[in-house]
Structures are given as structure tokens and as C-alpha cells.
Amino acid sequence: MANSVAFVFVFVYLPLSSYFQAFHAMAHEWPAGGSTRFYDFKVQTMRVTKLCNTKEIVTVNKMFPGPVVYVQEDDRIIVNVTNETPYNATIHWHGVRQKLSCWFDGPSYITQCPIQAGQSFAYEFTMVKQKGTFFWHAHVSWLRATVYGAIVVYPKTGVPYPFKQPYEEHIVILGEYWLGDVLQLERQVLASGGPAPPADAFTINGHPGPNYNCSRNDVYRIDVVPGKTYLLRLINAGLNMENFFAIANHKLTVVEADAEYTKPFTTDRVMLGPGQTMNVLVTADQTIGKYSMAMGPYMSAQNISFQRISAIAYFQYLGAVPNSVSLPAKLPNFNDNLAVKTVMDGLRSLKPVDVPKKIDTNLFVTVGLNVNKCRSKTPQKNCRGMNNGTFAASMNNISFVKPTISILEAYYKKIGGQFTVDFPGAPLQFYDFANGAPNNAPNNTQAINGTRTKVLKFGSRVQLIFQDTSTVTTENHPIHLHGYSFYVVGYGTGNFNPQTANFNLIDPPYMNTIGVPVGGWAAIRFVADNPGVWFMHCHLDIHQSWGLGAVLIVENGKGELETLPHPPADLPRC
């Protein structure tokens, strides 16, 4: 055991480059599964200089991106989080299914109150039958703009990848960077009633790259050996933007999506929405040179301003002339919906899977934007949405409002007045969702506010249809479900029609964040076998702030293996 403990601590504190040399040398010595891994996270502010500006950002352990959590399938993880900033903080372990550990899931006011300034909270959970690329991020306000990092879960000792062992692995985190204070920014945007301003830069592992001001040397680089194959662990930790990613002149072979193996699928580019992860193999099979890795925008909504400049990193062959110009990567047009569909069409589970065939609970949920009537006495200041209204977002036309204590605590301790259990299983009225009702914003585009939840019986087999709406604009929405992965059994454009919908019940991908196609629908299935209170929301933070979310409460089953344990003693107080 001494070896594996030393292994973890070597990895916590080494810089990434040293880690990969270490990993390459030690690839055959993964720590034994079922161990306990300890990590210490200090939420701290630090000064950074980017884009010609110096500012304070919130980070973990003064690292940007934050520290990588390295573990193995079935390991128990204990992360002690101490908040040394004046702001509220929580950490969400994105994609971790939190079997019987809902208390440690991390979304503020859903499963816990925030960790207040000067307070600590120990997150404790097990990677039960999970391996692959995950990430952690703050789940309060827009703090996750800078508070994020990767979680790498290796297979158990002696279990190989279902593809040839790569020469090296690298983590590639896509992000967005603002020059302003993101907590103030969220407050200002909500107060204005209008849209969110675009990010000042896209970043790859925190670096904007040479297309941005003062960033010629602020570039991430991977040095590669000609002829070798590399595994890139792609993570989209961006706040409000979906992104294309490509490497000049190189093919990407997708082998994992949302930490589940897929049938290998080769493509020129991929699209990741915030919250999505993807593992791709890349072989350095081109002439020796410096190649761009590019991250650019995918914007499917109409009339929204967004950052159009690509972030660039280098995929640099050993032997390349150091100061040579990098070959440009070809990204799709920002609104290339077909490129997105092509990637989605390629995702299939590695082996046939056990998809629920008989359904106990059918839910139909619209996702989209709303315009509410102006209620302010200073409309120029507070009603900057469409037609002098205020923007909102909703599921089944209900804008989610966070309560004052966590829903999980209120549910567990039977505290009244915090939430209701009447989230509707279908929209209150059906119309031509994808092509637009005869909207006259803001007169008939209002959303209802509420903290509504849907209660599911333990073990129920659930089908959920997400339907995009065009009330304001159709848009691809990356919808994330906490506490579960789900089979994406179908998706399409237009309005969902059960008569014509094509479902894959043999090898659909098993995901935790699904991009509901622009002006279309997606169908997911899962078995509600993990008791607790689980947030389901759009992973574009502006939409989440506007209310695009709802909560699923899964009841306890029978016996202790189907029952949520009592809360931890150090659960933060509101």
C-alpha cells in the first residue's frame, strides 16, 4: 500500500508535464482499486495576468486550472474543502453518480448550503463502477468560471483500456475567461434583465493562446514524438458556450464520452457542451511540425453576441523548428448544426447495453427561454430583454427558484415551505414548440416561478423527452442530470413525435450531459435506483441562473443499500 499512497501524493503536487513523464514510466503500476484517496482543497484567491490585465480570481490551491484528482475505479475519495475566500463556495463532482452519497454532490441549495467564508466541509464518495474522465467545479453563482479541475479515474489494476495503450495521456480543459469579476457579472446580468456578455477569451488549460492580446506566450503545448499515439482527455469547463475542438491535419478517434467507453469513431473535429467530457486518440502521423489545437464557438441561438476568436494550443512534434508558425486547424462555422449531429451520430456504447424497455414513468419536458413582463420602475436599467421584457428560462414553463436552505435537508428533515412536489410531467399546453407559437413577447412568453420537484419511486424505469422551444430562439441546450448517467436512446429535429421517432435500444451512449439539438428533442432512459435529491439543469450558467432547471427526488427503496444515509456532521449551515 505504501507504493500506491506515494503514487497519489507524487501526482497531487507535480506539475502536469512531470506527471505525464511519471505516468508514462509508471503506466503499469496503477494503484490498487478500493483504496481511499485524500485530497486537500483550499479555495483561495490569486492574482493572474492575462489579456494585458491583472486581476484576482478564485481558485483551488492557487492553481488555474485546479489540481487533478487521480484515483482508480471503486476508490473512495475524501476531499477536505476549506473556503479561504470571502465568497460562498461548493464543489460538484461532475459525472460522479454519488451512489448513496447525495449529501456530497455539491450543488448549492440543492444538496447542501454553501461553504461559507472560513468554513470547511469534507466531501466523501466512492467511484462505484465508474472510470474515465470527469471533472470537478464550483456550483455557486458563476464561480466555476475559474474553479475547476479534472478527475482521472483509471481502470482497476491489471484491467487494460479497450484500445491500444497510448504512449502518453494529456488533460485538455476548455474554458472561458472574463476580465471582470464573474460574481458581479452574474448579479449585473440578472439585474439588467438582458443577455450575458460574451467571454473575453476562450482558454485551453487556462491559456488563451496567440490570437488574443498579450497572449503570444500564454499558450498550452503538448510535445509529441512522431509516430506515437496520444490519449487526450477533453473536458468542457466553459460557462456559457459550447465549443468545437480540432487539431490541424490530425484525425481524432473518440473512445469515451462522459466517462463511458464508446465504439471507436474517427472524426476531424468534436463538439463539447459545458459539462461534457470526451477521450480521443490522436496519432502523430504527419510531417514534423507545429500544429494548432483549436477551440472555437458553437452558437446555435439567434441574435446572441459571442466570442468568435479561437483559443489555440500547440501539438508540437519533437524536431519542429521552435518559433515556426503553427499550421491552422480548420473548425466548422459557428452555427454548423450538421457537424454537431455528425459527432452525436457517431457515439455508440462499446458493447450492447441493458436499456430499460418497459417504462414506469414518462416525462415530457420543454427546455427553453422566456421573456417576462417588465416589473421595474427603471426599465432602461432592468428590462433589457426582448421587447423591453426580462429574460428567463424554464422547464415546462416553470423557472426554477433556489430555496433558502437545501432541498435535500428540507426533504430529509421534513422542513416545510422550501419546495413543492408538483413539477408537471408534461407542459401545461402543447403547441408547435420547435417552430414557434404565435409569440408576442413579453405578452404571452411568461414563465411561472417555483421550486418544484418531481418525486420518483425507487427502481422506477424513467423515460424523459427533452423538447427545445423557440419562444425566444431555438438553441442546443446541454442538459445535465446529477446522480445518474442515462442512455440517450434517440434525438432529432423538430417536435418529438412518438410515431416517427427512431430509438436505439441496443447500443446507445451512456451520458450525464446531453446536448438537446437546436429546434429538436432528445430522449433519455434510466432506472431511478439512487435515492436523493438530484438537480437537472442546463449547463449554460446563464440559463441556469435564469431558471432552466428542475429537481428529481428519488425515494428510498428497501433496506440500507437502497436508503440514503443520514447527513454528515459537518454539513454546512445556511
Side-chain angles (χ1 to χ4, degrees), residues 56-78:
E56 294 256 315
I57 61 169
V58 179
T59 62
V60 165
N61 298 357
K62 294 196 188 286
M63 293 167 73
F64 175 59
V68 184
V69 172
Y70 291 104
V71 294
Q72 217 177 348
E73 182 177 356
D74 289 340
D75 277 354
R76 186 157 152 261
I77 303 173
I78 299 175

Side-chain angles (χ1 to χ4, degrees), residues 75-96:
D75 277 354
R76 186 157 152 261
I77 303 173
I78 299 175
V79 186
N80 191 52
V81 177
T82 306
N83 185 3
E84 298 180 355
T85 73
Y87 316 109
N88 282 341
T90 67
I91 304 288
H92 169 55
W93 314 91
H94 187 110
V96 177

Side-chain angles (χ1 to χ4, degrees), residues 508-548:
Y510 197 41
M511 304 180 80
N512 63 58
T513 305
I514 175 64
V516 178
V518 49
W521 57 272
I524 68 168
R525 290 184 182 185
F526 63 96
V527 178
D529 58 3
N530 189 13
V533 166
W534 306 109
F535 201 17
M536 174 173 76
H537 63 90
C538 182
H539 219 283
L540 302 172
D541 274 26
I542 178 64
H543 294 177
Q544 190 189 307
S545 299
W546 282 339
L548 215 172

Side-chain angles (χ1 to χ4, degrees), residues 317-382:
Y317 284 62
L318 290 176
V321 180
N323 294 331
S324 57
V325 175
S326 65
L327 285 144
K330 192 165 165 29
L331 289 171
N333 286 338
F334 73 86
N335 57 357
D336 190 340
N337 300 325
L338 186 61
V340 175
K341 183 184 182 304
T342 309
V343 175
M344 197 57 216
D345 288 348
L347 298 181
R348 295 267 192 264
S349 281
L350 182 61
K351 298 190 171 91
V353 288
D354 184 18
V355 184
K357 307 284 194 297
K358 188 170 171 291
I359 300 300
D360 306 304
T361 305
N362 248 309
L363 304 174
F364 185 97
V365 176
T366 60
V367 294
L369 306 185
N370 298 74
V371 185
N372 291 341
K373 285 182 180 161
C374 183
R375 301 262 180 259
S376 166
K377 295 200 165 53
T378 52
Q380 287 76 21
K381 212 166 92 189
N382 308 114

Side-chain angles (χ1 to χ4, degrees), residues 173-190:
I173 308 185
L174 312 179
E176 288 180 283
Y177 189 83
W178 271 267
L179 290 171
D181 174 323
V182 286
L183 299 177
Q184 267 181 319
L185 184 70
E186 188 204 27
R187 284 196 295 271
Q188 285 163 359
V189 169
L190 293 180

Side-chain angles (χ1 to χ4, degrees), residues 464-480:
L464 227 164
I465 311 288
F466 293 113
Q467 172 71 57
D468 185 28
T469 68
S470 61
T471 307
V472 174
T473 172
T474 54
E475 183 169 359
N476 181 301
H477 292 277
I479 304 293
H480 173 48

Side-chain angles (χ1 to χ4, degrees), residues 124-136:
E124 237 180 279
F125 52 90
T126 302
M127 299 304 303
V128 182
K129 296 185 179 150
Q130 286 192 272
K131 56 186 172 289
T133 303
F134 304 80
F135 74 118
W136 54 264

Side-chain angles (χ1 to χ4, degrees), residues 118-179:
Q119 304 290 305
S120 296
F121 180 47
Y123 289 91
E124 237 180 279
F125 52 90
T126 302
M127 299 304 303
V128 182
K129 296 185 179 150
Q130 286 192 272
K131 56 186 172 289
T133 303
F134 304 80
F135 74 118
W136 54 264
H137 61 77
H139 216 302
V140 172
S141 177
W142 290 4
L143 211 54
R144 72 176 184 84
T146 55
V147 180
Y148 60 79
I151 306 174
V152 174
V153 185
Y154 294 114
K156 290 180 181 175
T157 310
V159 178
Y161 292 136
F163 43 85
K164 195 167 161 268
Q165 179 73 34
Y167 178 71
E168 264 179 16
E169 304 185 12
H170 293 270
I171 293 163
V172 177
I173 308 185
L174 312 179
E176 288 180 283
Y177 189 83
W178 271 267
L179 290 171

